[in-house]
Amino acid sequence: MAIAGHAEPLPSSLTLGARVHSWVVSVDHKRLGMMYVGFGLLFFLVAGLEAAAMRAQLARAGSQLIDPTTFNQLFTMHGTTMVFLVGMPILLGMANYLVPLMIGARDMAFPRLNAFGLWLFIFGALLLYYSYIGAQGLYGTSAAPDVGWFAYAPLTSRTYSPGNSTDYWILGIMVSGFGSITTAINLIATILVMRCPGMTLLRMPLFPWMMLVTSVLVLIAVPVLTGAQAMLLLDRSFGAHFFDTEQGGSAVLWQHLFWFFGHPEVYILVLPAFGFLNEIVPVFSRKVVFGYSLMVAATVAIGFISLGVWAHHMFALGLSPEMNSFFAASTFLIAVPTGIKIFTWLGTMIGGRIEFATPMLFATGFLAMFTFGGLTGIMLAVVPFDWQLSDSYFVVAHFHYVLFGGTVFGIFGAIFYWFPKATGRMLSERLGRWFFWILFLGFNLTFLPMHVSGILGMPRRIYTFQPDRGLDLWNLLSTAGVALQAAALLLFLWNVVHSLLRGKPAGNNPWNAWTLEWATSSPPPDWNFDRIPTVGSARPLWDVANPHDPDPSPEAHG
Amino acid sequence: MTQLVAPLPQVWRPDRAKVGIVCLIVVESCIFLTFVVAYLFFIGKSSNGPQPADVLDLPPVIINSVALLSSSWTVVLAVRSLERAKHGAFLGWLLCTVLLGGFFVAGTAREWSALMTEDRLFISTNLFGTTFYSLVGLHLLHVVVGLVLLSGILLLGIGGRVRQSHVNAVDMVSWYWHFVDAVWVVVFMTVYVIGR
Ligand SMILES: [Cu+2]
């Protein structure tokens, strides 16, 4: 096929230094994407270790394994890392890798800006973690940030947060936030400008569509966090009073600004994973995606509504009844387009010839777990229910079902799906299935009991709990689940290393998929396509394989 | 590749530099909105120290605003001159833009120095000081960035390095400059009209 490309292997005479140098100076969207994902996975391990340390401490009541100060740092760094240094870079990195290939382009719209964004992210991440060595803590010791990932005022004021660990938190996140913004701008420009001939917006694969909406949310939400962090920095460094209640400032303002960013951020983290599902589910059901335009419309609706629900994180604050009712109602409303998506995926699966390869296992796992987390989310949108369970382990369980059972499962599905494209080798299916099932069990063993401990009244972010409150068993189960998850991740790492060296060669299109990234070689050449492809429908490779039965794309029938 | 069945539809493809600059403007607007919201939220909440009505002097600010807003006009004329390859006019109008922007920065410096020395208003004095210096300062920062960009183009132009083919890039800088001016209208309304 003419649109295929042929990768030339790197001359093996290159020294290690030259290879590293070629990655560092690269502006190729594929290499940058892989570096994003690589760093994201590295920080995933770090955040996982932090979580494991907390679960070890909470394995039994009254444990003395970890002192309260360290525990505070652990949950702060775990949350911050997972959101900003794992979710964002992996999802933006996958988009970096995939979007140009999927729309038949040779690179992103602004390749150098792309490299700039990656290195900003890495610099921000290092700045945050440097606090473990360099930040001055309470007693002259070094200290990581310990104010929680949403860093409420007045805890972040100079009085309650002396030293400069909080400043590292502010600056690290701010810098990596600039990186996210540049990448979002780049993605929007790429998607709008670089589509190959024939690819109208409604012939685009759904993943770029999800990334378009995600990127717009990044443009709107992240700057508000940046602004709020700038205010906090002014408060801490120059004696400003934004969040200083003694001088008439407002701690509530921080909450509003933070969650105006924080809630869309949840959708920034989950919409790309929806995008992975939109590619994986049709291919492994051997069916065209059910309700393409409905999916696009629901995504745009989610994007809009997600900007107007933030105060559901603040019900416990005592806002006015009108405010509470408004934000409860808007939160119920966002469940509608989200539900539509769930049903579109089910509609795609129904009547399909479903093939449970590892990517599809993760996709179905995502569906089940995300729906479950969504339902507890609707429960928490009921104001009195939230009053009862706010800041308890029930909430921790809820958002881990959404972000781990949802986003992280989606990411692993995507890694299994696109690994062959990026490396030219298949990941082991056998190990992949084991990985999925062990992770699935471990995940549920960890987080299902947290619903119970939360309902029994166990508050989050406290380093220990008392015996004889009926919490012991549930906490022990949660900790046991972590061991399973760790085992699963070791299996995954082994799978990656083993498959990179010995994996089955993938060929251009191992899954018989229909989108353009599968038209070129695996891995694709630096220039992606020898000839820029031309498409006549939303499934160009279907058209190539079935010239007499072309894909009925939306426009073809009006 | 196989022959396509349907004729290719026209694909909508905007200019990439314009998309980039519009996205940047969205981002900047959100940052500014955050500070404007904080400003509005804290109006009248200062319990001590100077209040806006006592210390904010309108006439110099109005002259300053006129200078800044008219620089939007001169930058348009500069871009148009470059489009028509009139290099002398291009450099002249660009110089005017830089001078008007510089006048605005100098005016703000005079205002701030009076506020600090005569009225003893600092960022830490009260909420008015906090929100005033941060919002006006944020805008000032953007003016300075714009001036650096415009002066860079001016210097390159004097060296004969800016050609007609660069008009799109210069135009994008002018879009940014228009945005900075438009934000000033919002800041002016917030600080000197509503806040006073
Ligand atoms: Cu939310």
Side-chain angles (χ1 to χ4, degrees), chain A residues 109 193 195-196 239 241-242 248, chain B residues 12-14 16 42 124 127 130 134:
Chain A
V193 180
R195 278 164 293 133
C196 67
H241 305 293
F242 284 107
Chain B
W12 174 69
R13 275 199 202 83
R16 84 178 66 187
F42 287 130
S124 56
L127 270 172
T130 293
S134 53

Side-chain angles (χ1 to χ4, degrees), chain A residues 155-347:
Chain A
L155 187 58
T156 48
S157 67
R158 272 251 170 268
T159 321
Y160 301 109
S161 196
N164 51 22
S165 65
T166 302
D167 303 308
Y168 276 96
W169 179 84
I170 297 172
L171 291 169
I173 301 309
M174 208 185 242
V175 170
S176 81
F178 288 137
S180 309
I181 290 172
T182 57
T183 308
I185 294 180
N186 218 336
L187 281 169
I188 294 175
T190 307
I191 292 169
L192 292 185
V193 180
M194 310 276 286
R195 278 164 293 133
C196 67
M199 187 172 282
T200 56
L201 280 174
L202 286 179
R203 282 180 184 172
M204 235 179 12
L206 279 165
F207 178 68
W209 256 114
M210 303 296 123
M211 285 320 301
L212 183 63
V213 177
T214 305
S215 302
V216 172
L217 282 181
V218 169
L219 292 195
I220 297 173
V222 175
V224 174
L225 177 67
T226 305
Q229 288 184 316
M231 292 176 190
L232 185 55
L233 205 59
L234 290 173
D235 271 16
R236 289 178 55 82
S237 304
F238 300 99
H241 305 293
F242 284 107
F243 309 120
D244 169 13
T245 40
E246 270 175 51
Q247 289 280 334
S250 168
V252 178
L253 179 68
W254 171 267
Q255 295 196 20
H256 277 298
L257 295 179
F258 186 88
W259 289 116
F260 181 83
F261 150 80
H263 189 84
E265 172 67 18
V266 175
Y267 282 91
I268 291 169
L269 291 174
V270 88
L271 283 177
F274 286 174
F276 298 149
L277 250 70
N278 284 328
E279 301 304 322
I280 292 171
V281 170
V283 166
F284 291 95
S285 307
R286 308 311 302 161
K287 266 179 73 188
V288 64
V289 67
F290 175 79
Y292 175 104
S293 351
L294 198 61
M295 185 64 85
V296 171
T299 309
V300 175
I302 287 179
F304 271 113
I305 307 174
S306 75
L307 294 169
V309 299
W310 75 89
H312 63 212
H313 297 268
M314 301 160 60
F315 287 152
L317 182 78
L319 299 167
S320 67
E322 293 78 17
M323 286 269 266
N324 283 346
S325 322
F326 173 83
F327 283 101
S330 63
T331 306
F332 292 134
L333 195 64
I334 206 167
V336 176
T338 314
I340 289 178
K341 279 170 171 267
I342 305 277
F343 283 110
T344 0
W345 290 315
L346 291 177

Side-chain angles (χ1 to χ4, degrees), chain B residues 5-162:
Chain B
V5 248
L8 288 182
Q10 266 307 314
V11 173
W12 174 69
R13 275 199 202 83
D15 177 71
R16 84 178 66 187
K18 291 205 171 94
V19 174
I21 224 63
V22 168
C23 287
L24 181 73
I25 286 176
V26 170
V27 170
E28 298 274 26
S29 307
C30 290
I31 295 188
F32 272 107
L33 268 179
T34 311
F35 279 86
V36 167
V37 164
Y39 198 99
L40 296 172
F41 189 81
F42 287 130
I43 285 176
K45 301 246 174 79
S46 298
S47 43
N48 60 301
Q51 300 295 320
D54 310 330
V55 294
L56 290 184
D57 196 12
L58 270 186
V61 181
I62 290 174
I63 297 172
N64 238 346
S65 311
V66 171
L68 188 67
L69 295 183
S70 41
S71 74
S72 248
W73 178 238
T74 55
V75 86
V76 168
L77 292 175
V79 173
R80 276 195 200 156
S81 312
L82 186 62
E83 241 164 27
R84 293 172 197 151
K86 293 182 191 158
H87 282 268
F90 163 64
L91 293 178
W93 287 121
L94 202 56
L95 182 66
C96 285
T97 312
V98 172
L99 288 177
L100 286 168
F103 180 84
F104 178 86
V105 175
T108 310
R110 266 198 310 277
E111 183 197 24
W112 283 25
S113 108
L115 285 173
M116 288 183 192
T117 50
E118 289 160 29
D119 306 310
R120 313 294 303 156
L121 179 72
F122 299 96
I123 195 166
S124 56
T125 306
N126 56 14
L127 270 172
F128 167 51
T130 293
T131 51
F132 173 82
Y133 285 115
S134 53
L135 178 58
V136 178
L138 183 67
H139 178 261
L140 194 67
L141 182 71
H142 283 77
V143 175
V144 171
V145 169
L147 280 178
V148 169
L149 292 173
L150 291 169
S151 318
I153 298 174
L154 183 63
L155 290 178
L156 287 172
I158 291 171
R161 306 271 293 276
V162 182

Side-chain angles (χ1 to χ4, degrees), chain A residues 392-413:
Chain A
S392 77
Y393 266 83
F394 190 87
V395 175
V396 178
H398 154 68
F399 66 72
H400 279 89
Y401 268 83
V402 177
L403 290 175
F404 195 131
T407 304
V408 175
F409 274 36
I411 287 173
F412 280 123

